[in-house]
Amino acid sequence: MAILEVKGIEKSFEDTHVLKNINFSLEKGEVMAIIGSSGSGKTTLLRCLNFLERPDKGSIIVNNEVIFDATNPSTQKESELRKKRLHFGLVFQNFNLFPQYTVLKNVTLAAELLAKERPDYKQNKKAITEEIQERAKMLLAQVGLSDKLDFYPHMISGGQQQRVAIARALALEPDILCFDEPTSALDPELTGEVLKVIKNLAERDTTMIIVTHEMDFARDVADRVIFMDDGVIVEQGSPQEVFGNPKEERTKQFLARYNKT
């Protein structure tokens, strides 16, 4: 059964139609790679899923619950969208860590803020805080950063900063972890360490959507690949289908350009 269903999503910015009738589903534990040229709508799609942008049309369903329907104003209240964002974790291109906080604090901050809304927070503050801290330490160990808990972002490499960002996204236990070009801001020698972490997450059956320009990585790790062009899903299927035997001419042209670089 699908953990995520996206139906008829459209998004425009003034006269620019960025997303056009986007439809796909994602199974629990599945890894989906989204590929395509710059400007094809990939990042906007992720931002719509995370409600950083609000779709103009369409619906988003998670675990059989309609969490957004453009025709239903009751699904669009800001207070509700804030909660619904928790279904998705997002790892940005440029890390977006808080420079004034340590690595550990960057990972615990969102969970601590959410915990303060719990009715039992004041009564159990110490236990709740300790639980959040322990989970953050476990996640940082998972991404190989147990020795960097008290470091600040400027004291670690770009690859390490992106691994902190991955741990931070995992800290709130999202249903679906989304990556927006997670290696685009990294030097080539640092790219491998981030891709290794994402591959390890895939082996743990983490449900993920990855916008990427790393074609070899998409081919090796993804269960399904979507190719977007000009705001449209041109083709989707297994990596073998999309990379090995694309049906659409636009897909063939894109992959041919990639193979020449």
Side-chain angles (χ1 to χ4, degrees), residues 2-229:
I3 191 172
L4 171 67
E5 296 174 82
V6 173
K7 298 183 178 182
I9 290 294
E10 303 209 4
K11 180 65 180 177
S12 296
F13 296 98
E14 297 182 348
D15 295 330
T16 304
H17 201 175
V18 179
L19 297 177
K20 307 167 186 176
N21 195 29
I22 300 295
N23 295 274
F24 67 88
S25 62
L26 182 69
E27 301 293 319
K28 185 174 177 59
E30 190 174 38
V31 178
M32 175 183 288
I34 303 178
I35 63 173
S37 302
S38 296
S40 59
K42 307 183 303 295
T43 293
T44 299
L45 175 56
L46 281 193
R47 290 178 65 85
C48 284
L49 291 178
N50 286 272
F51 304 114
L52 297 175
E53 302 289 350
R54 197 170 300 190
D56 300 321
K57 295 182 180 179
S59 61
I60 299 170
I61 302 165
V62 177
N63 290 322
N64 288 325
E65 177 191 358
V66 177
I67 65 169
F68 179 86
D69 183 345
T71 65
N72 184 354
S74 68
T75 67
Q76 300 174 44
K77 297 176 182 176
E78 188 57 42
S79 59
E80 291 299 312
L81 291 179
R82 181 169 171 265
K83 296 175 184 176
K84 291 168 182 177
R85 286 189 184 106
L86 299 178
H87 288 291
F88 300 90
L90 179 58
V91 179
F92 298 89
Q93 293 181 30
N94 294 312
F95 326 138
N96 286 13
L97 300 180
F98 294 105
Q100 70 272 36
Y101 294 137
T102 64
V103 163
L104 181 61
K105 186 67 173 179
N106 264 281
V107 177
T108 62
L109 182 61
E112 288 170 346
L113 291 173
L114 281 173
K116 291 179 180 179
E117 299 178 6
R118 289 173 49 170
D120 64 336
Y121 179 73
K122 288 185 178 179
Q123 183 179 355
N124 300 305
K125 179 179 178 179
K126 183 177 179 181
I128 292 170
T129 301
E130 288 177 354
E131 182 181 342
I132 292 170
Q133 294 264 329
E134 288 308 308
R135 174 164 174 75
K137 290 176 182 178
M138 180 271 291
L139 290 170
L140 286 165
Q142 187 176 322
V143 299
L145 293 173
S146 290
D147 59 338
K148 299 290 189 289
L149 303 184
D150 297 322
F151 283 52
Y152 288 85
H154 74 275
M155 301 167 68
I156 59 178
S157 71
Q160 290 169 333
Q161 288 184 56
Q162 191 62 298
R163 284 188 275 155
V164 174
I166 293 170
R168 179 178 63 181
L170 289 167
L172 296 179
E173 302 182 73
D175 294 304
I176 302 156
L177 186 59
C178 301
F179 294 84
D180 183 15
E181 297 278 14
T183 61
S184 65
L186 300 176
D187 294 331
E189 63 268 23
L190 299 177
T191 294
E193 67 184 61
V194 174
L195 295 181
K196 181 180 178 181
V197 169
I198 299 173
K199 186 174 182 180
N200 288 339
L201 290 172
E203 291 170 353
R204 294 168 181 254
D205 292 328
T206 306
T207 309
M208 293 186 282
I209 299 174
I210 307 169
V211 169
T212 184
H213 61 275
E214 299 285 345
M215 298 300 146
D216 292 337
F217 176 75
R219 183 186 291 110
D220 294 342
V221 175
D223 300 297
R224 193 139 50 94
V225 177
I226 283 177
F227 169 62
M228 291 184 67
D229 186 52

